[in-house]
């Protein structure tokens, strides 16, 4: 497994883990917020109810107190006491009505005072002018606490529990206080818990121990709270609800990551990555003139150098690249490298040329010609030093091919037909095509010296090229015998392992230099130039 594969797999694992964790974290977060929202809404409702009840109770008390003063009656007369009793009876929140002479209670709705009772100390005054003593012990209250509301000469007693007498489950603590923080209700265990809240708590909130909501008006603030443990339970319920969705999302994300990494690990995905990372290099196979043995140039052959250093042969990726359209950027990278690596040699010796292989798409669109032109601009390499090899596969659209090749020659490039003889329509298209050179396919060269059915064809192909006035290159030459045969039949150039395999740029440059100096000696113009390079 190469480096890229392991990196893709490691990244996929990390992404997969993160992807699976994310929805689960999201579920927890969401459950918490939904649970908190629910509890707040519940508590807000309770607090609102308490506040309205408190307002109603005080309003009723005020109405009762207002109706006591008129019409005036002789204080503590039977008539007066009867009215007080009626009003106490008719006002649900009021348990007793009292009449004061100054600070001293004279009589109540129960009758005449039994003992001397003074007004209790006032804790606060409401916006309606009611003076409130929160904790008084009424005469007939059997020890129960009551709230006294004083107004002019009268007082009413109210059971403070009425204020928080709201139906709600036992976990909710309820309490009503004045805006100044004076507790209005009786202060049982539940409201004691609510009292733990900061006095300035407003709206909804959360403390270390409780969740709360408040509701307030000009006079009062109602607070409903409950322990955070209740919240935790609501949250767990929510989590159970959201968990399947979270699990589904986690699965989807893991699936997506797996799908994406599989795509990246697919041959096409890898080839795409290679194009992006510019992993294509060029090796140069020398082309030799058969008469002089002189190196006249090379064919540029692309190789895919993987990040781990292994070289991939073109037959393994060119078909996929052609299918997928990736061949065009690959051709571009080859052209760039040729200009870059061979520039010095080509400037030094104008007789040297480099052959570049074109794909079917390159030939069909002709786009490659502009890529070459752009690369050559300013390089001082002549267009004639870059020749183009086209196979028959590029001639499917014969008109487009004709146009591209004509244009190529007009710009100064020589055009060769690659793998000549292997196609089926060789002779038909050949005459119409603007071509300079035929590259005789290796399969014909292989027959030389062997007695096979194909053997005679080799001679015919050479003759054909001659009649058409084209130059010839023999491909895949491996033996001395082949060299002699080809030379004897007037083939111009040859390429093959007999001379050299495709070489990395530096090795090709040194091969080329040696070839030319050994033929002409160090004094020859071209050879000397290359030595100097
Ligand atoms: P091709 O254009 O016919 O290239 C010649 C192939 O024959 C090269 O293989 C070369 O190394 C091989 N060869 C040369 N001499 C000998 C020999 O004496 N014996 C044997 N057994 N083989 C020899 P390579 O480099 O593997 O290229 C294979 C094919 O890949 C090329 O065939 C060409 O069709 C394609 N190709 C290579 N480079 C490019 C490129 O830059 N662009 C495009 N579109 N295709 C390319
Ligand atoms: Ca070729
Ligand atoms: Ca070929």
């Amino acid at each position: 497994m190469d480096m890229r594969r392991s990196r893709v797999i490691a990244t996929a694992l990390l992404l997969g883990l993160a992807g699976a964790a994310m929805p689960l974290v999201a579920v927890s977060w969401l459950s918490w917020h939904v649970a908190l929202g629910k509890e707040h809404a519940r508590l807000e409702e309770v607090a609102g109810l308490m506040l309205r009840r408190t307002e109603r109770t005080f309003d009723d008390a005020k109405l009762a107190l207002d109706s006591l003063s008129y019409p005036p009656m002789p204080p503590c007369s039977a008539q007066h006491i009867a009215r007080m009793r009626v009003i106490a009876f008719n006002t649900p929140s009021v348990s007793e009505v009292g009449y004061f002479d100054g600070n001293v209670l004279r009589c109540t709705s129960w009758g005449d005072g039994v003992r001397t009772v003074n007004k209790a100390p006032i804790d606060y005054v409401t916006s309606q002018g009611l003076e409130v003593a929160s904790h008084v012990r009424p005469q007939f209250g059997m020890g129960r606490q009551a709230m006294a509301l004083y107004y002019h000469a009268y007082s009413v007693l109210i059971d403070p529990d009425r204020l928080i007498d709201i139906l709600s489950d036992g976990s909710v603590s309820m309490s009503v206080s004045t805006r100044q923080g004076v507790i209005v209700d009786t202060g049982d265990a539940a409201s004691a818990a609510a009292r733990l809240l900061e006095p300035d708590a407003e709206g909804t909130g959360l403390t270390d121990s409780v969740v709360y909501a408040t509701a307030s008006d000009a006079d009062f603030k109602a607070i409903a709270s409950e322990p955070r443990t209740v919240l935790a339970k609501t949250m767990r319920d929510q989590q159970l609800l959201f968990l399947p969705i979270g699990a589904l999302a986690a699965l989807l994300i893991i699936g997506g990551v797996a799908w994406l990494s599989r795509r990246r690990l697919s041959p096409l995905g890898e080839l795409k990555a290679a194009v992006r990372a510019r992993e294509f290099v060029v090796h140069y196979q020398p082309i030799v003139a058969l008469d002089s043995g002189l190196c006249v140039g090379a064919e540029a052959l692309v190789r895919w150098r993987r990040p781990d250093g292994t070289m991939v042969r073109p037959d393994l990726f060119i078909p996929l690249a052609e299918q997928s359209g990736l061949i065009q950027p690959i051709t571009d990278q080859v052209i760039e490298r040729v200009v870059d690596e061979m520039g010095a040699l080509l400037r030094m010796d104008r007789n040297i040329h480099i052959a570049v292989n074109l794909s079917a798409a390159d030939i069909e669109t002709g786009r490659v010609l502009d890529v070459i032109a752009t690369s050559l601009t300013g390089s001082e390499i002549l267009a004639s030093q870059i020749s183009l090899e086209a196979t028959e596969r590029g001639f499917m659209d014969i008109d487009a091919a004709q146009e591209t090749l004509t244009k190529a020659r007009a710009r100064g490039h020589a055009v060769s037909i690659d793998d000549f003889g292997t196609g089926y329509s060789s002779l038909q298209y050949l005459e119409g095509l603007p071509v300079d050179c035929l590259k005789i396919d290796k399969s014909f060269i292989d027959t030389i010296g062997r007695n096979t059915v194909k053997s005679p064809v080799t001679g015919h192909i050479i003759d054909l090229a001659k009649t058409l006035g084209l130059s010839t290159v023999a491909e895949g030459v491996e033996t001395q015998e082949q060299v002699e045969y080809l030379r004897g039949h007037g083939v111009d150039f040859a390429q093959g392992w007999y001379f050299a395999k495709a070489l990395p740029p530096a090795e090709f440059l040194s091969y080329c230099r040696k070839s030319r100096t050994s033929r002409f000696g160090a004094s020859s113009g071209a050879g000397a130039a290359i030595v100097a390079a």
Side-chain angles (χ1 to χ4, degrees), residues 282 285 299-303 313-315 318 322 327 330-331 334 356-360 362 389 391 393 418-419 439 441-442 446 475-478 495-498 500-502:
V282 176
Q285 185 172 40
E299 176 180 356
L301 294 164
V302 71
R303 267 102 188 89
R313 288 193 6 239
D315 3 351
I318 293 283
E322 290 197 331
I327 189 67
I330 294 177
T331 304
V334 168
V356 171
N357 290 286
L358 301 188
S359 72
D362 292 325
E389 295 190 7
T391 60
R393 274 173 294 130
D418 204 356
D419 303 341
K439 292 192 84 169
D441 190 70
K442 180 176 185 301
D446 284 344
E475 282 191 311
V477 177
E478 292 179 350
Q495 173 186 355
W497 294 355
Y498 175 76
K501 292 195 170 180

Side-chain angles (χ1 to χ4, degrees), residues 510-532:
S510 92
Y511 174 94
C512 195
R513 187 167 56 218
K514 266 187 217 140
S515 148
R516 296 181 84 88
T517 44
S518 67
R519 281 286 150 176
F520 291 101
S523 60
S524 147
I530 291 166
V531 171

Side-chain angles (χ1 to χ4, degrees), residues 19 46 56 105 113 189 197 233 313 365 367 410 428 463 510:
V46 172
R56 268 278 301 278
L105 181 66
L197 287 176
K233 192 188 165 298
R313 288 193 6 239
T365 63
R367 180 201 66 98
Q428 287 171 17
D463 291 341
S510 92

